[in-house]
Amino acid sequence: MSFTQKILIAMAAGIVVGVTFSVVGAPLQAVSDVLVDGLLDAVGRIFVLLLQMMVVPLVLVSIVCGVASLGGLGALGRVGVKTIGLFLVTTAIALVIALTLAILVSPGEGFALAGDVDYRTQTPPPLSDVFVDMFPANPVRALADGQMLQIIVFALLLGFAINLSGESGRRVGAVFSDLNEVVMKLVTIVIRTAPVGVFALVATTFAAQGLDLFRPLAGYALILVLGLLLHGGLTYTLVLRLARLSPIGFFNKMRAVLTFAFSTASSGATLPLTLGTVKRRLGVDNSVASFSVPLGATINMDGTAIMLGVATVFISNVYGIDLSVGDYLAVVLTATLASIGTAAVPGAGLIMIALVLGQVGLPVEGIALIIGIDRLLDMLRTAVNVCGDGAVACLVARSEGALNLATFNDPGATLDTVARPATAEATQ
Ligand code: ASP
């Protein structure tokens, strides 16, 4: 049985076990206390901690290696502009899809507001802070706190300095390159435990989330799911077609990554597997992958943008407040920025709705309406978030001659496959 099959089976089994506990309820309470809230909860949390444990060393080491091998500012500038440009364009497309669907179907019209809704506002960070905060005063603190954008900036600069330091730089670069291999090995070791971790995470989530909560919000949930599937299926297929790559091959290899994102609801925790898959199974060279994938996990959140768009229209319908064309444009702009500022952890997107609602004058308490079902929808939007990172990395790498086609097309390429360089004939 392949690794992906094992993970998919673990996920399906987790859903069945979780839903069973949630539906049966009281008669199974004693078993549920020990098994779900005790054992499975602990296993799931340990699994996520192990994934998070690898993120900081992996991002630091692989970006330093990537930049050191890029050869100069020009190449990095090109990769940076292409990557960020594609992140913005795909996020804007995601919002157009979300708003079009939500406006056509109007979820939330006739929704009965049951009494007062109570939501304590959490203030989202001002966007200017997001940019200033990218620069670390103290790189050690940035590493210790897991400040991803600060780590990316520090690693980029360190990689440059290594590149410009002649013989000493070559020696330090060689150490980082060895470290890179070792950290990737650690990733493959932890990932081997994934079927157990995924089962535990999915079972505990589904046991805790009563599916009845969905009934009154079916319209909102359906439009959101449809938007996520359309964007995931169509937009990324288009991105891969632009790269002259097979979307089917891409999605087949990304299946395990998507399942991980689904079960952890965290792009950050999924990052080690996303990066490993993009490099070793899809054949993207480290010079592009090491930069695009961690940056994508931090700022590229198309699934979150779709949620922000649909939630805004839903809340405006519930409160009977009409939005003008100008308001919709403001939603596209603010939601794109808000998705950039969203942290790569479960539920982070929900906080950012306040920003979008405030921008178009909608009541922030509206968030309370959708909190109850957000965790399950978060799982799906996180899968879309990481899928976008992989697709963009493939397109950027292809345009830079940094994608090994033989690896991309090799169904047998695994995380253990030694990264092959992108040779001229392999990228044809
Ligand atoms: N959970 C999402 C992620 O990690 C962020 C969000 O809440 O939208 O990608």
Side-chain angles (χ1 to χ4, degrees), residues 265-267 301 304 342-349 378 381-382 385:
S266 165
S267 310
M301 310 250 176
T304 303
T342 303
V345 295
D378 191 6
R381 72 173 179 259
T382 307
N385 288 346

Side-chain angles (χ1 to χ4, degrees), residues 41-413:
D41 179 59
V43 171
R45 280 192 294 160
I46 291 174
F47 178 59
V48 172
L49 288 173
L50 285 174
L51 291 172
Q52 288 171 336
M53 173 188 86
M54 295 180 298
V55 170
V56 168
L58 185 65
V59 170
L60 175 71
V61 169
S62 70
I63 293 186
V64 169
C65 287
V67 177
S69 67
L70 250 180
L73 251 180
L76 180 69
R78 252 195 348 262
V79 170
V81 168
K82 283 183 192 172
T83 305
I84 295 172
L86 280 167
F87 285 163
L88 289 175
V89 171
T90 48
T91 306
I93 296 177
L95 273 159
V96 171
I97 293 178
L99 290 180
T100 311
L101 281 175
I103 292 168
L104 284 179
V105 183
S106 279
E109 242 158 44
F111 185 94
L113 271 177
D116 278 346
V117 280
D118 178 28
Y119 178 73
R120 233 156 288 141
T121 331
Q122 280 169 285
T123 334
L127 287 168
S128 57
D129 284 5
V130 175
F131 292 106
V132 176
D133 287 348
M134 282 171 33
F135 297 89
N138 177 347
V140 178
R141 189 180 318 131
L143 292 166
D145 293 345
Q147 290 290 339
M148 209 42 67
L149 288 175
Q150 295 190 353
I151 297 173
I152 291 175
V153 168
F154 173 65
L156 288 173
L157 295 174
L158 187 62
F160 265 134
I162 288 177
N163 218 341
L164 300 175
S165 299
E167 193 44 46
S168 311
R170 254 187 297 286
R171 281 198 300 271
V172 176
V175 172
F176 270 97
S177 162
D178 286 347
L179 270 176
N180 197 21
E181 284 306 312
V182 175
V183 177
M184 276 309 294
K185 185 48 100 190
L186 180 62
V187 172
T188 57
I189 293 169
V190 171
I191 300 279
R192 253 181 235 139
T193 65
V196 180
V198 165
F199 170 75
L201 280 175
V202 174
T204 37
T205 311
F206 275 80
Q209 306 284 316
L211 292 178
D212 319 341
L213 284 174
F214 271 90
R215 220 161 288 139
L217 293 163
Y220 165 71
L222 275 178
I223 298 302
L224 183 47
V225 170
L226 192 65
L228 291 170
L229 294 178
L230 270 179
H231 185 67
L234 295 182
T235 312
Y236 300 144
T237 297
L238 190 77
V239 168
L240 291 155
R241 284 263 168 255
L242 282 176
R244 287 168 294 122
L245 293 170
S246 149
I248 296 180
F250 172 84
F251 284 113
N252 270 338
K253 292 193 172 174
M254 285 292 282
R255 251 195 332 232
V257 179
L258 301 184
T259 319
F260 251 62
F262 183 83
S263 31
T264 58
S266 165
S267 310
T270 312
L271 178 56
L273 184 64
T274 320
L275 191 56
T277 304
V278 167
K279 287 203 290 199
R280 303 254 162 123
R281 301 193 67 203
L282 292 169
V284 174
D285 191 72
N286 190 42
S287 56
V288 172
S290 68
F291 171 72
S292 310
V293 177
L295 189 68
T298 317
I299 68 166
N300 182 41
M301 310 250 176
D302 294 357
T304 303
I306 292 176
M307 180 277 286
L308 293 172
V310 175
T312 306
V313 176
F314 173 75
I315 291 168
S316 78
N317 285 338
V318 170
Y319 286 92
I321 300 171
D322 283 336
L323 296 179
S324 65
V325 176
D327 287 335
Y328 286 121
L329 283 177
V331 171
V332 172
L333 204 71
T334 338
T336 302
L337 295 174
S339 70
I340 292 175
T342 303
V345 295
L350 207 57
I351 303 170
M352 299 313 260
I353 304 180
L355 200 81
V356 186
L357 294 179
Q359 188 66 36
V360 290
L362 289 170
V364 173
E365 302 78 55
I367 300 175
L369 300 171
I370 51 176
I371 278 184
I373 60 167
D374 190 67
R375 174 60 199 228
L376 293 181
L377 296 168
D378 191 6
M379 298 164 96
L380 202 59
R381 72 173 179 259
T382 307
V384 172
N385 288 346
V386 299
C387 193
D389 305 337
V392 167
C394 284
L395 177 53
V396 174
R398 186 80 159 129
S399 72
E400 289 286 311
L403 185 130
N404 187 308
L405 250 197
T407 306
F408 185 95
N409 291 326
D410 174 5

